Amino acid sequence: MTETPPTLLWLRHDLRLADNPALHAAADGPVLPVYILDDAAAGRWAPGGAHRWWLHHSLAALAAALERAGAPLLLLRGEAATLIPRLAAATGARTVQAGRLYAPWARARDEAVAKALEAEGRTLALHNSGLLVEPERIRTQQGKPYAVYTPFSRAVMALGDPPPPIPAPGRLKGVKHPCQGEKLAGLGLLPRQPDWAAAFPEYWTPGEDGAGARLRDFVDGIAEGYDRARDFPGEDGTSRLSPHLHWGEISPRQAWHAAGGIGDTTARQTFRKELVWREFAHHVLWHNPALPEQPLRAEYAKFPYQPDPALLRAWQRGQTGYPIVDAGMRQLWRHGWMHNRVRMIVGSLLVKHLLQPWWDGAAWFWDTLVDGDLANNSLNWQWIAGSGVDAAPYFRIYNPIMQGEKFDAGGQYVREFVPELAKLPDRWLHRPWEAPAEVLRGAGVALGRTYPNPVVDHEAGRARALAALRSLKGVE
Ligand SMILES: Cc1cc2nc3c(=O)[nH]c(=O)nc-3n(C[C@H](O)[C@H](O)[C@H](O)COP(=O)(O)OP(=O)(O)OC[C@H]3O[C@@H](n4cnc5c(N)ncnc54)[C@H](O)[C@@H]3O)c2cc1C
């Protein structure tokens, strides 16, 4: 330990040691790493329940890694806009190093922190630790932000490989903490009664090591055939890196470069393009801070949604009577995650067949996803609702029966998450209400009792959604 003033390393969504430019900038002298749980600044975008479970375990892993490296983590709770300048004053730190954040509330907070530090002759130094390309760096030929994914993606790809990841620093010079921090358990991030996250550890290993292991598994095996397999929710066909990327336990640069080891070139390219969707979401959020709250296409502000708490609850609980939808919603509850294809199907059913506002779906995802991410969640919900930039046209309405039959033809996914239908033959699995009575009886299914009838008839729901669209003037 040393008496020289340290650099503060304010960790936020970069909970890792490798390829962490803020840590790299802080590591050549004494360093004080700090994490602050600041729910007040985040307001309604404070981490949701599943998110908090992840954060608890990620902080535990980070604290252990920093301890081993020689610079123990200080955990605090409260308003960072006050605590960071206070901590800088208490330690004499001239500089606070941190990774950039893109959510509007975090931008406002960083501006306030920078101002307070500057008033004392100190500096907040922000680094790109979470994106391949910073949102201001690429523009259309007209000098505008991109609003369409394909040209954005082309522009990102044209930049070539991002810089190679920076290795984790060796031994760090830690300092004595100037105040007593919180104990991790004292932050109260874990669910208590009931412990709905009990099964999460079977599926997830939060932290930098867990992220690295998952990336290796993906690159060495799962990625082969990713281009095809990523559409089938019953297969382990995607990287499942989303929560690791969200908390910055791994950087997109690391994922990008590791993808160079994927032998199947189509798979490699497709995976990188998915990483670019994440970039696009952050680009759009940065240039449209209202993305989480307001339709980007103004004409959708008057969309005649029909909020109905009973319908919303049936959807949340996986009781809509559409097996692929119910499987997805139950996977979300059990794993804190849902397959991308199914996210699109459940989102479409909610917003179109059920005419429920997209922001109610986004709020439920926010609370239940371990990867809940303001940019990705908001962009994708607005994409489904037809109200975002480069969105799916509203009139393209997913048929939940055909989607199930196409992407879960063998029924593995539905049988895993909707066990009450497990004995139904494939032919009826995605349309149990059409099954003959003796087939239902043989499979132990009593519709309306062991499994619900559809909350809305597909054709009727579709027609109602299209009528709602027609009622909007100026929307094609
Ligand atoms: C309604 C809806 C809500 C969503 N909410 C979120 C969210 O809150 N957080 C989140 O990370 N993703 C969200 N997504 C995007 C996508 O479903 C997840 O990123 C993906 O399922 C994560 O699984 P994976 O890591 O195995 O993905 P992979 O297929 O392995 O993709 C690799 C990475 O690319 C990024 N990515 C892939 N698809 C998308 C996409 N459509 N948009 C943005 N980034 C993408 C993710 O970071 C992902 O980890 C949402 C999609 C929909 C349709």
Side-chain angles (χ1 to χ4, degrees), residues 67-82:
E67 180 93 39
R68 279 194 302 274
L73 179 68
L74 175 62
L75 277 181
L76 296 175
R77 182 215 303 260
E79 294 194 24
T82 311

PDB file of all heavy atoms in Angstrom, residues 67-82:
ATOM      1  N   GLU A  67      -8.921  -7.951  -5.722  1.00  0.00           N
ATOM      2  CA  GLU A  67      -8.211  -8.283  -4.475  1.00  0.00           C
ATOM      3  C   GLU A  67      -6.931  -9.057  -4.819  1.00  0.00           C
ATOM      4  O   GLU A  67      -5.842  -8.745  -4.322  1.00  0.00           O
ATOM      5  CB  GLU A  67      -9.153  -9.134  -3.602  1.00  0.00           C
ATOM      6  CG  GLU A  67      -8.586  -9.573  -2.263  1.00  0.00           C
ATOM      7  CD  GLU A  67      -8.944  -8.591  -1.160  1.00  0.00           C
ATOM      8  OE1 GLU A  67     -10.086  -8.086  -1.170  1.00  0.00           O
ATOM      9  OE2 GLU A  67      -8.076  -8.338  -0.316  1.00  0.00           O
ATOM     10  N   ARG A  68      -7.092 -10.060  -5.688  1.00  0.00           N
ATOM     11  CA  ARG A  68      -5.925 -10.865  -6.090  1.00  0.00           C
ATOM     12  C   ARG A  68      -4.865  -9.988  -6.774  1.00  0.00           C
ATOM     13  O   ARG A  68      -3.680 -10.169  -6.588  1.00  0.00           O
ATOM     14  CB  ARG A  68      -6.345 -11.984  -7.058  1.00  0.00           C
ATOM     15  CG  ARG A  68      -6.927 -13.216  -6.378  1.00  0.00           C
ATOM     16  CD  ARG A  68      -6.983 -14.394  -7.351  1.00  0.00           C
ATOM     17  NE  ARG A  68      -7.760 -14.108  -8.545  1.00  0.00           N
ATOM     18  CZ  ARG A  68      -9.080 -14.246  -8.654  1.00  0.00           C
ATOM     19  NH1 ARG A  68      -9.787 -14.687  -7.636  1.00  0.00           N
ATOM     20  NH2 ARG A  68      -9.701 -13.962  -9.788  1.00  0.00           N
ATOM     21  N   ALA A  69      -5.353  -9.000  -7.546  1.00  0.00           N
ATOM     22  CA  ALA A  69      -4.403  -8.150  -8.282  1.00  0.00           C
ATOM     23  C   ALA A  69      -3.758  -7.108  -7.372  1.00  0.00           C
ATOM     24  O   ALA A  69      -2.805  -6.443  -7.773  1.00  0.00           O
ATOM     25  CB  ALA A  69      -5.119  -7.471  -9.439  1.00  0.00           C
ATOM     26  N   GLY A  70      -4.311  -6.912  -6.168  1.00  0.00           N
ATOM     27  CA  GLY A  70      -3.658  -6.006  -5.214  1.00  0.00           C
ATOM     28  C   GLY A  70      -4.403  -4.704  -4.961  1.00  0.00           C
ATOM     29  O   GLY A  70      -3.911  -3.846  -4.232  1.00  0.00           O
ATOM     30  N   ALA A  71      -5.590  -4.511  -5.580  1.00  0.00           N
ATOM     31  CA  ALA A  71      -6.327  -3.252  -5.380  1.00  0.00           C
ATOM     32  C   ALA A  71      -7.783  -3.571  -5.051  1.00  0.00           C
ATOM     33  O   ALA A  71      -8.626  -3.630  -5.954  1.00  0.00           O
ATOM     34  CB  ALA A  71      -6.235  -2.381  -6.629  1.00  0.00           C
ATOM     35  N   PRO A  72      -8.089  -3.761  -3.770  1.00  0.00           N
ATOM     36  CA  PRO A  72      -9.452  -4.164  -3.406  1.00  0.00           C
ATOM     37  C   PRO A  72     -10.503  -3.144  -3.836  1.00  0.00           C
ATOM     38  O   PRO A  72     -10.245  -1.936  -3.841  1.00  0.00           O
ATOM     39  CB  PRO A  72      -9.388  -4.276  -1.875  1.00  0.00           C
ATOM     40  CG  PRO A  72      -7.942  -4.373  -1.539  1.00  0.00           C
ATOM     41  CD  PRO A  72      -7.202  -3.651  -2.613  1.00  0.00           C
ATOM     42  N   LEU A  73     -11.670  -3.667  -4.188  1.00  0.00           N
ATOM     43  CA  LEU A  73     -12.781  -2.839  -4.674  1.00  0.00           C
ATOM     44  C   LEU A  73     -13.497  -2.180  -3.500  1.00  0.00           C
ATOM     45  O   LEU A  73     -13.811  -2.845  -2.508  1.00  0.00           O
ATOM     46  CB  LEU A  73     -13.757  -3.739  -5.445  1.00  0.00           C
ATOM     47  CG  LEU A  73     -15.010  -3.095  -6.016  1.00  0.00           C
ATOM     48  CD1 LEU A  73     -14.679  -2.121  -7.138  1.00  0.00           C
ATOM     49  CD2 LEU A  73     -15.968  -4.175  -6.567  1.00  0.00           C
ATOM     50  N   LEU A  74     -13.788  -0.886  -3.643  1.00  0.00           N
ATOM     51  CA  LEU A  74     -14.617  -0.187  -2.662  1.00  0.00           C
ATOM     52  C   LEU A  74     -16.051  -0.176  -3.194  1.00  0.00           C
ATOM     53  O   LEU A  74     -16.295   0.274  -4.317  1.00  0.00           O
ATOM     54  CB  LEU A  74     -14.105   1.247  -2.487  1.00  0.00           C
ATOM     55  CG  LEU A  74     -14.915   2.168  -1.580  1.00  0.00           C
ATOM     56  CD1 LEU A  74     -14.971   1.644  -0.133  1.00  0.00           C
ATOM     57  CD2 LEU A  74     -14.339   3.597  -1.596  1.00  0.00           C
ATOM     58  N   LEU A  75     -16.969  -0.680  -2.388  1.00  0.00           N
ATOM     59  CA  LEU A  75     -18.380  -0.707  -2.802  1.00  0.00           C
ATOM     60  C   LEU A  75     -19.123   0.386  -2.060  1.00  0.00           C
ATOM     61  O   LEU A  75     -19.042   0.463  -0.825  1.00  0.00           O
ATOM     62  CB  LEU A  75     -19.023  -2.032  -2.391  1.00  0.00           C
ATOM     63  CG  LEU A  75     -18.850  -3.232  -3.284  1.00  0.00           C
ATOM     64  CD1 LEU A  75     -19.589  -4.422  -2.672  1.00  0.00           C
ATOM     65  CD2 LEU A  75     -19.376  -2.948  -4.684  1.00  0.00           C
ATOM     66  N   LEU A  76     -19.873   1.194  -2.790  1.00  0.00           N
ATOM     67  CA  LEU A  76     -20.653   2.248  -2.137  1.00  0.00           C
ATOM     68  C   LEU A  76     -22.071   2.224  -2.671  1.00  0.00           C
ATOM     69  O   LEU A  76     -22.338   1.701  -3.763  1.00  0.00           O
ATOM     70  CB  LEU A  76     -20.031   3.623  -2.412  1.00  0.00           C
ATOM     71  CG  LEU A  76     -18.621   3.873  -1.846  1.00  0.00           C
ATOM     72  CD1 LEU A  76     -18.099   5.226  -2.318  1.00  0.00           C
ATOM     73  CD2 LEU A  76     -18.618   3.820  -0.310  1.00  0.00           C
ATOM     74  N   ARG A  77     -22.957   2.839  -1.939  1.00  0.00           N
ATOM     75  CA  ARG A  77     -24.334   3.001  -2.399  1.00  0.00           C
ATOM     76  C   ARG A  77     -24.716   4.463  -2.189  1.00  0.00           C
ATOM     77  O   ARG A  77     -24.401   5.040  -1.130  1.00  0.00           O
ATOM     78  CB  ARG A  77     -25.255   2.114  -1.562  1.00  0.00           C
ATOM     79  CG  ARG A  77     -26.727   2.170  -1.986  1.00  0.00           C
ATOM     80  CD  ARG A  77     -27.628   2.045  -0.787  1.00  0.00           C
ATOM     81  NE  ARG A  77     -27.381   0.834  -0.047  1.00  0.00           N
ATOM     82  CZ  ARG A  77     -28.123  -0.269  -0.154  1.00  0.00           C
ATOM     83  NH1 ARG A  77     -29.127  -0.295  -0.965  1.00  0.00           N
ATOM     84  NH2 ARG A  77     -27.835  -1.318   0.596  1.00  0.00           N
ATOM     85  N   GLY A  78     -25.360   5.068  -3.195  1.00  0.00           N
ATOM     86  CA  GLY A  78     -25.781   6.463  -3.044  1.00  0.00           C
ATOM     87  C   GLY A  78     -25.610   7.215  -4.343  1.00  0.00           C
ATOM     88  O   GLY A  78     -25.467   6.610  -5.410  1.00  0.00           O
ATOM     89  N   GLU A  79     -25.652   8.528  -4.271  1.00  0.00           N
ATOM     90  CA  GLU A  79     -25.595   9.340  -5.486  1.00  0.00           C
ATOM     91  C   GLU A  79     -24.145   9.558  -5.914  1.00  0.00           C
ATOM     92  O   GLU A  79     -23.391  10.261  -5.240  1.00  0.00           O
ATOM     93  CB  GLU A  79     -26.301  10.661  -5.250  1.00  0.00           C
ATOM     94  CG  GLU A  79     -27.778  10.413  -5.032  1.00  0.00           C
ATOM     95  CD  GLU A  79     -28.612  11.665  -5.127  1.00  0.00           C
ATOM     96  OE1 GLU A  79     -28.175  12.629  -5.776  1.00  0.00           O
ATOM     97  OE2 GLU A  79     -29.689  11.665  -4.521  1.00  0.00           O
ATOM     98  N   ALA A  80     -23.810   8.960  -7.019  1.00  0.00           N
ATOM     99  CA  ALA A  80     -22.423   9.041  -7.485  1.00  0.00           C
ATOM    100  C   ALA A  80     -22.006  10.487  -7.742  1.00  0.00           C
ATOM    101  O   ALA A  80     -20.841  10.847  -7.568  1.00  0.00           O
ATOM    102  CB  ALA A  80     -22.254   8.206  -8.743  1.00  0.00           C
ATOM    103  N   ALA A  81     -22.967  11.323  -8.161  1.00  0.00           N
ATOM    104  CA  ALA A  81     -22.626  12.722  -8.447  1.00  0.00           C
ATOM    105  C   ALA A  81     -22.085  13.427  -7.209  1.00  0.00           C
ATOM    106  O   ALA A  81     -21.345  14.394  -7.306  1.00  0.00           O
ATOM    107  CB  ALA A  81     -23.852  13.453  -8.987  1.00  0.00           C
ATOM    108  N   THR A  82     -22.456  12.934  -6.037  1.00  0.00           N
ATOM    109  CA  THR A  82     -21.907  13.486  -4.793  1.00  0.00           C
ATOM    110  C   THR A  82     -20.707  12.654  -4.330  1.00  0.00           C
ATOM    111  O   THR A  82     -19.696  13.199  -3.893  1.00  0.00           O
ATOM    112  CB  THR A  82     -22.988  13.423  -3.665  1.00  0.00           C
ATOM    113  OG1 THR A  82     -24.190  13.961  -4.197  1.00  0.00           O
ATOM    114  CG2 THR A  82     -22.549  14.183  -2.435  1.00  0.00           C
TER     115      THR A  82
END
